[in-house]
Amino acid sequence: MNIDFHMHSTASDGALSPADLMDRCVQRGLHCVALTDHDTLQGYWQAKEHLDKNDSPLKLLCGVELSAKWSKGSVHIVGLNIDPQNAVLKDGLLRLQEIRLDRIARIAQRLDKIGITGVQEHIDTHCIGVQAGRPHIAQFLLETGVVKTEQDAFKRYLGKGKLGDISHCWPDLEEVVAWILAAGGVAVLAHPLHYKLSRTQLKCLFERFAGCGGAAVEVLTGHQQAGTEQQLATLVEQHNLYASMGSDFHTPENKWKEVGRMLPLPKQSRPVWELFAEQLR
Ligand code: MN
Ligand code: MN
Ligand code: MN
């Protein structure tokens, strides 16, 4: 069975519309997928409508990718097989969206002070129904000729150590996992090797995640160094967690993070879909 439980559409920061993304998953021979846009379920409804309309055999789970605070940094938690109507989760999503908007407003204010005006107005008029983020500000700076490339915007204004480098105040890991559980979903720790943690820190994270009801870890993600899946699988097993897999697809331009482009799960791993097997039939 071909599975991919982590991907993004234009509902967050992906390049393909939910419908086009579903078509791509079908073309690439996938059987079951979860659309996991950042902090929003908007794309799910569009993807579902598209599949229903075309009588597609592709199974779609409702998913989401949420940001959470852990230790001094942040981690991403994927929710799988969630009830999109759940009120607790909906409130949580609104909160995350507020945190994002608040950060944009603070960056816009800072840019305003150095004479780069109009950022807030641009976001307010152009980012309706999408997750506004720094890439949208970069786009604006490019369009208005402040910078020559989007990379330049990050190098000069938005990247690490620059004026627009304002960190988010995400809710705690425990709280975010609780929203997913409230919505009847399975909480999955996303791309554990992206946080650049030591082995001890990684164990610490797994422990805290499992302790608050987290059920699985992404043992396989797009563009992963060979061999690391075995190490992860062992660590995951030691913490009595299930294993998930997802490409983290954002754009067709990144060939390494193509939908469905992953190795099979290591034999020792218990696949996360055992937790919602009835959905896959
Ligand atoms: Mn993303
Ligand atoms: Mn992520
Ligand atoms: Mn992602």
Side-chain angles (χ1 to χ4, degrees), residues 152-163:
D152 203 25
F154 278 88
K155 235 185 342 243
R156 289 168 61 190
Y157 300 108
L158 303 170
K160 209 167 166 55
K162 303 297 166 195
L163 154 160

Side-chain angles (χ1 to χ4, degrees), residues 6 8 38 65 248 250:
H6 189 153
H8 298 270
H38 298 282
E65 182 174 17
D248 205 3
H250 281 76

